[in-house]
């Protein structure tokens, strides 16, 4: 389970233990939206400053940053069949 946070982080949770396993850092603004690819290899996070981060879940690191938005990224959706990210 992943949660977006106003402190610009993403938390990874254990649903069994109900505890935070780790925190992903990198954004400079509050994280407002999250989406995961259908295979579970990539996490996408959108922030209030318009940045979208692409996270490699195996390595738990960012592999790309998109800065095309002029305002907050309030929603993300991954289309698995078309392999596209909508924001």
């Amino acid at each position: 389970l992943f949660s977006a946070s106003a402190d610009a982080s993403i938390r990874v949770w254990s649903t069994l233990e109900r505890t935070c396993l780790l925190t992903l850092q990198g954004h400079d603004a509050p994280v407002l939206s999250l989406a995961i690819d259908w295979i579970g290899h990539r996490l996408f996070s959108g922030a209030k400053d318009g940045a979208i981060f692409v996270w490699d879940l195996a390595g738990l690191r960012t592999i790309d940053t998109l800065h095309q938005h002029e305002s907050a990224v309030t929603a993300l959706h991954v289309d698995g069949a078309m392999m596209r990210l909508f924001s």
Side-chain angles (χ1 to χ4, degrees):
L1 176 67
F2 300 92
S3 64
S5 183
D7 69 1
S9 71
I10 299 163
R11 289 185 174 78
V12 183
W13 297 88
S14 165
T15 56
L16 294 175
E17 299 172 12
R18 297 183 183 192
T19 58
C20 180
L21 300 174
L22 61 102
T23 302
L24 302 175
Q25 303 282 353
H27 281 283
D28 294 324
V31 180
L32 304 177
S33 54
L34 298 171
I36 193 167
D37 72 356
W38 65 280
I39 300 173
H41 292 163
R42 302 282 185 264
L43 176 71
F44 304 89
S45 56
K48 189 173 183 177
D49 64 0
I52 297 174
F53 280 26
V54 182
W55 298 85
D56 169 33
L57 292 178
L60 297 173
R61 63 183 179 89
T62 57
I63 56 173
D64 203 358
T65 306
L66 310 172
H67 293 285
Q68 280 71 28
H69 283 269
E70 295 179 10
S71 60
V73 181
T74 58
L76 292 169
H77 173 75
V78 178
D79 180 347
M82 301 298 282
M83 298 184 72
R84 293 184 182 162
L85 174 68
F86 296 92
S87 60

